Amino acid sequence: QVQLVESGGGLVQAGGSLKLSCAASGRTFSRYDMGWFRQAPGKERALVARIRPSSWSGGSTYYADSVKGRFTISRDNTKNTVFLQMNSLKPEDTAVYYCAARGLNNDEYAYWGQGTQVTVSS
């Protein structure tokens, strides 16, 4: 079992920055594929960024086209934490952001945080 707790959301003006954090419980955090998803009102939840363990695809990252060049995902395995640095924020980035974890043998993200609200004003 993995428990995830997000923090760092808030209200920011367009062009500003926020850094989200997701603290994970458990001793095997370094083995999990960690993802950040977001869900805007009236829209489906969508993957924003993902980072794999260093032992799995060399710690490769993925970004949705809408955030490439603006968002950066990173992880600190010593602190069981994954981050999402968000720069040049736009109003369309407004959403609830969720952290999720996927084990090597799972096709889907099985563990989810409670979400943190990000609101970008124009």
Side-chain angles (χ1 to χ4, degrees):
Q1 287 287 341
V2 177
Q3 292 184 327
L4 304 172
V5 179
E6 302 99 334
S7 61
L11 174 63
V12 64
Q13 288 188 333
S17 298
L18 281 175
K19 186 173 185 177
L20 305 183
S21 300
C22 173
S25 64
R27 297 175 294 176
T28 59
F29 171 80
S30 63
R31 301 178 187 177
Y32 283 88
D33 176 329
M34 301 299 299
W36 282 100
F37 292 73
R38 68 185 182 187
Q39 187 168 22
K43 295 187 177 181
E44 294 187 353
R45 188 164 55 190
L47 178 64
V48 174
R50 181 208 66 215
I51 185 166
R52 288 184 165 167
S54 57
S55 60
W56 180 15
S57 297
S60 62
T61 57
Y62 160 87
Y63 297 93
D65 287 342
S66 58
V67 306
K68 278 182 182 176
R70 301 189 297 122
F71 290 12
T72 302
I73 189 171
S74 61
R75 66 194 300 162
D76 184 341
N77 291 332
T78 66
K79 297 182 179 179
N80 282 13
T81 302
V82 62
F83 304 98
L84 185 68
Q85 177 67 47
M86 305 185 295
N87 298 328
S88 301
L89 283 162
K90 304 175 181 180
E92 50 263 43
D93 294 318
T94 295
V96 178
Y97 284 71
Y98 298 91
C99 172
R102 179 168 75 100
L104 178 63
N105 297 321
N106 296 115
D107 292 332
E108 298 181 352
Y109 288 87
Y111 306 103
W112 293 84
Q114 81 289 352
T116 186
Q117 176 70 47
V118 171
T119 303
V120 184
S121 63
S122 56

